[in-house]
Amino acid sequence: MKADDDLTVSARDWADVGSDMRGVRDGAEGYLATLPDPPKGGGPADNAEWWKGLTDDQRADYLAMRPASVGAIGGLPADVRDEANRAVFAETQGKYQSELDRIRALEPPRYVTTPQGTVQSGKWKEWNDRYGDREDFLDGRLDGMAAIQNRFDATGTDGLPEAYLLGFDPEANSDGRVILANGNPDTADHTAVLVPGTKTKMDGISDELGDSEALWRQSHVVAPDQSVSTIVWFDYDAPNTIPDAVKAGYATDGGPTLRHFLEGSDFAHRDATGGPSHRTVIGHSYGSTVVGEATQYTPEYAESRWKSTIPADDIIAAGSPGM
């Protein structure tokens, strides 16, 4: 890509790349239709077999043309999903920032002076009615993306390992999707999956990322000779208020999604190392209710209901309203 004259890759640059790539993807649909499709309704093993069956060029084409799809497929290696999701992240961040800049450039003065005093401008009210909600949405999501970028940039600081973006979609589940690992979960001796609870949104994901980082550092102190991966898993519509947290629907919707992620992560680790990781799932607040639902859900690709147990050695509930 060609950067601005100062060689800094700006939001406009990424937005331009995104626009170009969307055009390329539209033109490439005919070609992609000739490639083997990912298995519909398949489990992690099916997904991994499909990916391995592609040639190097075909895998590169899928990553370039359908990064969002590749980044969401359970059972694929963490580094593949990370590469795909980082491409979506960069393009989305550029697109959102450019849109926000355009909206704010249209904003008229909020107040005007009249013979009767200072009053709110009618033109500003029209602008706010048209763009206010969208401005708030973009501003909040960009705050979340800045937190993710800060974590990328912190790699190597005081031994902090590489970050792996295993899931990303600012418009998923009303509150957004962020799944980010400290360290490679495919090779880690120990893996912890943190499921946040009530009031969690992508906009404020910096708190959850900080908790995951702190857990990694403390785990590294306790077990310095073993590899550890800590994961923030936020891929469900969390309750926005305490009264909402008495409703089971958020968990019944989120539990199966969590279970599919855990199954995919477990398979990817076994595929990479030949054995399982010691996996701990930590549900905080309403997140523990989601974990409870995940334990009771049987994936459609399971061998049998009675042999399908959640791939976790330990489950921790913190501040739980009930599981």
Side-chain angles (χ1 to χ4, degrees):
M1 65 177 292
K2 184 179 185 298
D4 291 334
D5 291 341
D6 62 1
L7 300 183
T8 299
V9 180
S10 66
R12 187 185 68 185
D13 295 326
W14 280 119
D16 290 344
V17 168
S19 178
D20 293 343
M21 285 303 300
R22 284 190 292 275
V24 171
R25 289 168 192 153
D26 290 343
E29 283 304 310
Y31 162 68
L32 288 177
T34 67
L35 301 183
D37 287 326
K40 294 181 179 180
D46 301 312
N47 297 335
E49 183 178 1
W50 163 76
W51 185 253
K52 292 175 183 178
L54 300 175
T55 66
D56 290 344
D57 286 343
Q58 288 173 335
R59 286 194 288 266
D61 291 338
Y62 261 107
L63 281 166
M65 302 301 159
R66 293 181 180 169
S69 297
V70 173
I73 297 177
L76 268 57
D79 57 353
V80 171
R81 296 182 66 174
D82 175 62
E83 180 180 351
N85 284 309
R86 287 198 190 216
V88 176
F89 172 85
E91 180 180 325
T92 304
Q93 189 176 38
K95 182 178 71 172
Y96 276 27
Q97 187 62 61
S98 293
E99 183 182 355
L100 182 61
D101 291 343
R102 288 195 299 271
I103 288 174
R104 287 179 170 170
L106 296 172
E107 182 179 5
R110 182 167 185 173
Y111 298 101
V112 296
T113 302
T114 71
Q116 290 74 36
T118 301
V119 297
Q120 189 177 83
S121 164
K123 290 184 177 180
W124 183 87
K125 187 177 185 305
E126 291 176 3
W127 173 89
N128 189 57
D129 290 343
R130 183 173 182 180
Y131 297 112
D133 289 344
R134 184 62 177 173
E135 181 196 28
D136 289 343
F137 171 83
L138 293 169
D139 195 36
R141 291 299 194 264
L142 284 166
D143 283 345
M145 292 182 216
I148 295 170
Q149 185 61 56
N150 288 340
R151 172 56 192 88
F152 290 162
D153 296 342
T155 294
T157 303
D158 297 327
L160 192 65
E162 185 73 36
Y164 291 80
L165 189 60
L166 304 178
F168 174 78
D169 185 345
E171 300 190 15
N173 312 315
S174 298
D175 295 322
R177 172 188 301 131
V178 178
I179 308 174
L180 191 146
N182 298 301
N184 190 343
D186 291 356
T187 57
D189 298 316
H190 302 276
T191 303
V193 180
L194 286 72
V195 183
T198 304
K199 299 183 180 181
T200 304
K201 295 181 68 174
M202 179 179 166
D203 305 23
I205 201 68
S206 60
D207 291 341
E208 285 70 32
L209 297 180
D211 291 342
S212 179
E213 181 180 329
L215 179 60
W216 183 89
R217 293 190 183 283
Q218 186 59 37
S219 300
H220 185 62
V221 169
V222 173
D225 298 327
Q226 300 182 56
S227 57
V228 176
S229 176
T230 59
I231 304 172
V232 170
W233 182 89
F234 181 55
D235 192 9
Y236 79 105
D237 181 12
N240 293 326
T241 66
I242 298 299
D244 282 341
V246 303
K247 302 174 183 177
Y250 299 99
T252 55
D253 289 343
T257 307
L258 173 60
R259 180 62 178 268
H260 285 301
F261 172 77
L262 294 172
E263 296 285 351
S265 181
D266 181 60
F267 179 87
H269 190 282
R270 292 175 184 272
D271 200 37
T273 67
S277 174
H278 177 267
R279 186 173 293 103
T280 301
V281 181
I282 305 170
H284 174 250
S285 178
Y286 194 87
S288 65
T289 309
V290 177
V291 174
E293 286 292 333
T295 66
Q296 301 175 62
Y297 174 74
T298 302
E300 57 275 13
Y301 46 79
E303 182 179 346
S304 76
R305 179 177 179 83
W306 309 113
K307 294 181 180 180
S308 177
T309 57
I310 191 169
D313 300 281
D314 303 291
I315 292 176
I316 298 173
S320 175
M323 298 177 70

